[in-house]
Amino acid sequence: MNRLPVLTAIALIAASAAPAEAKLSAAESRIVRTVDREQARTLDLLEKLVNQNSGSLNAPGVEAVGRMMRAELEPLGFSVRWVPMTQVGRAGHIVASRRGNGKGRKMLLIGHLDTVFEPDSPFQRFVRKDADTAEGPGVGDDKGGMVVMVAALRAMQAAGTLAAADIEIVLTGDEEDAGNPVSIARRDLIEAGKRADVALDFEGLSRENGQDMGSISRRGSGNWEVRATGRTGHSSGVFSASSGNGAIYELSRILTAFRTELPEPNLTFNVGLVVGGATASLDEAGIRGTATGKTNIIPEIAIAKGDIRALSPDQYKRVTDRMRTIVARHMPGTGAEISFDEGAYPPMAPTAGGRALLDRLNLVNRDLALSEMAPIDPLKRGAGDIGFVAQDVDGLVGLGAAGGGSHAAGETIDIPSLWRQAKRAAILMTRLSREKP
């Protein structure tokens, strides 16, 4: 596993506690000027990206956004390829690389082309609300993040610091609804993570009480399904030795045990759908259920679906093992099974290397006269693509823009955060490109 040296981390912590005497280099000052000078161009790119629908299942739309990003990256010296993902039912990914001088840290930049808004959504267009706010589908998640990435790379090129940087970029086309199996859908991202020394994720910036926050960890997520069964018959026999308790009581027992026996720090587990009766079934997507039954019939089947979010692989395994144990304790006359999907998003656990990266970012903040960014509670961030590389490389999350209402009509972006984040990212990448791996 690539981890930042502990001594380097300690030195950085000490440096961040020292008096604020450092200042931007000449190249870094040019980065700042370039980001400010190109504000109109950056906003135009954001509007263009947002106005192209790229719902995860809209393959032509995702491909169109991929072509737009290719047009931005190739002039910066990146070799860009499109990786089709038709075999997992999705459009594909952009993978771009730029070889530097080989002396600094190899950086992996992560973002995504898709949004949650499919072509049938009424929310489709970029709208400027006021000087500091714009609205649109995916404006923050993650088209704002891709725009920050491009603005930062352009500023590095203008300042002459991009030439030395070894950078690989993976822009997935299905972050909001990953194709299965994920072993294929995330193959290229995982391979890129193994080649990198640092991972920088350009999803949205977290803010708390008006302050920009750093993100060095995020929980993973996976889905589970419980199917309980019982002996059907006349309700007058329920609880008897011959009839048993029925499927719905068995499912209720299991869900109650989950709620009382599973809780621990950094863990959540939600029940999102329940259906049961004499008959019960789910649609192919697993998001709609139908059931039949009468009050005088003991239910034969009951189904529940939910998710589980954990902060580390060990926590995820420990809790899912306990869930299996709970499910196996059947009530009389019943049975039950639990299954977990294969498309789980791995967690990004906090590490010393991740904290050292945040220390580096806070040195950038100091030199930009910006407030220090404290690490945000991982319970306040959802799962994301960086989890697929977190076992191999340290990283930072949240280098994209700030905003609000993601995944819902009315999603917004805080426009000034685009410039702030682009400056942070460009200077951070410039400095990392000069550090020995």
Side-chain angles (χ1 to χ4, degrees):
M1 179 181 288
N2 293 316
R3 294 300 187 200
L4 299 178
V6 174
L7 289 178
T8 303
I10 294 172
L12 281 163
I13 293 169
S16 65
E21 297 174 353
K23 58 183 179 181
L24 299 176
S25 68
E28 292 168 351
S29 294
R30 187 170 181 183
I31 283 173
V32 170
R33 293 194 299 272
T34 301
V35 171
D36 288 336
R37 186 177 64 247
E38 294 198 344
Q39 287 184 10
R41 182 191 187 281
T42 299
L43 270 181
D44 286 346
L45 175 60
L46 178 62
E47 181 172 1
K48 180 181 177 183
L49 292 173
V50 170
N51 285 340
Q52 171 59 62
N53 179 277
S54 59
S56 305
L57 303 183
N58 178 13
V62 173
E63 291 175 17
V65 172
R67 288 192 294 272
M68 294 177 193
M69 290 302 294
R70 177 191 289 270
E72 296 294 328
L73 295 173
E74 286 185 335
L76 296 174
F78 283 87
S79 173
V80 183
R81 60 190 176 97
W82 176 256
V83 182
M85 281 289 142
T86 52
Q87 66 188 118
V88 298
R90 297 295 184 270
H93 313 314
I94 284 284
V95 178
S97 60
R98 192 185 193 288
R99 187 178 296 244
N101 60 19
K103 296 180 180 179
R105 295 196 177 278
K106 295 185 291 294
M107 291 172 275
L108 169 62
L109 314 187
I110 302 171
H112 62 91
L113 306 165
D114 64 319
T115 77
V116 300
F117 302 97
E118 299 295 339
D120 60 354
S121 167
F123 188 48
Q124 293 289 342
R125 305 296 293 178
F126 178 95
V127 177
R128 187 75 176 264
K129 305 299 288 185
D130 56 46
D132 291 343
T133 312
E135 177 186 276
V139 70
D141 186 17
D142 185 36
K143 293 178 177 178
M146 291 193 295
V147 164
V148 168
M149 185 188 297
V150 169
L153 294 171
R154 285 180 59 83
M156 291 174 68
Q157 184 187 53
T161 65
L162 184 60
D166 285 282
I167 298 175
E168 187 166 10
I169 299 171
V170 178
L171 305 175
T172 57
D174 60 346
E175 194 270 350
E176 304 291 5
D177 190 358
N180 279 313
V182 292
S183 58
I184 295 175
R186 291 296 176 271
R187 176 193 59 216
D188 297 272
L189 177 61
I190 293 168
E191 291 175 354
K194 295 181 185 299
R195 293 188 289 269
D197 299 311
V198 173
L200 304 176
D201 190 312
F202 283 77
E203 284 201 290
L205 168 68
S206 293
R207 306 199 82 211
E208 199 167 69
N209 300 320
Q211 297 295 313
D212 293 353
M213 304 292 288
S215 297
I216 60 172
S217 60
R218 63 193 307 174
R219 296 185 300 165
S221 71
N223 297 324
W224 54 265
E225 179 180 304
V226 172
R227 288 182 174 254
T229 57
R231 300 173 189 157
T232 190
H234 197 283
S235 64
S236 62
V238 71
F239 311 138
S240 67
S242 59
S243 297
N245 290 263
I248 291 178
Y249 275 123
E250 169 69 351
L251 182 61
S252 298
R253 173 198 68 79
I254 292 167
L255 299 182
T256 299
F258 284 177
R259 183 67 186 90
T260 57
E261 298 180 30
L262 295 180
E264 60 179 68
N266 298 315
L267 176 75
T268 57
F269 43 94
N270 182 56
V271 183
L273 176 65
V274 175
V275 60
T279 66
S281 62
L282 302 177
D283 68 357
E284 185 176 355
I287 61 174
R288 296 177 181 85
T290 58
T292 64
K294 292 183 177 181
T295 59
N296 62 352
I297 297 176
I298 300 172
E300 188 172 10
I301 185 169
I303 306 168
K305 289 177 66 72
D307 77 354
I308 174 173
R309 296 174 184 266
L311 188 56
S312 70
D314 287 345
Q315 183 179 46
Y316 185 84
K317 183 180 186 306
R318 180 175 65 253
V319 173
T320 53
D321 286 346
R322 284 160 56 193
M323 293 172 80
R324 291 186 178 94
T325 299
I326 289 169
V327 169
R329 300 193 307 241
H330 307 308
M331 298 176 76
T334 67
E337 295 181 346
I338 188 169
S339 60
F340 299 91
D341 68 14
E342 296 181 358
Y345 269 65
M348 175 188 180
T351 66
R355 287 187 285 272
L357 277 172
L358 182 56
D359 289 335
R360 284 164 168 76
L361 182 58
N362 276 323
L363 291 178
V364 174
N365 285 328
R366 181 189 67 180
D367 295 342
L368 286 170
L370 296 172
S371 298
E372 182 173 319
M373 299 166 70
I376 195 166
D377 186 336
L379 270 69
K380 297 179 180 179
R381 285 215 73 121
D385 275 342
I386 198 170
F388 288 98
V389 303
Q391 293 298 295
D392 297 304
V393 62
D394 293 305
L396 285 176
V397 181
L399 290 169
S406 62
H407 290 202
E411 178 180 354
T412 61
I413 192 170
D414 173 53
I415 293 171
S417 72
L418 290 167
W419 332 132
R420 194 164 67 250
Q421 289 291 83
K423 294 169 188 176
R424 281 172 171 149
I427 295 173
L428 177 64
M429 288 190 286
T430 293
R431 294 180 180 182
L432 289 172
S433 73
R434 296 168 179 166
E435 289 187 7
K436 292 183 179 179

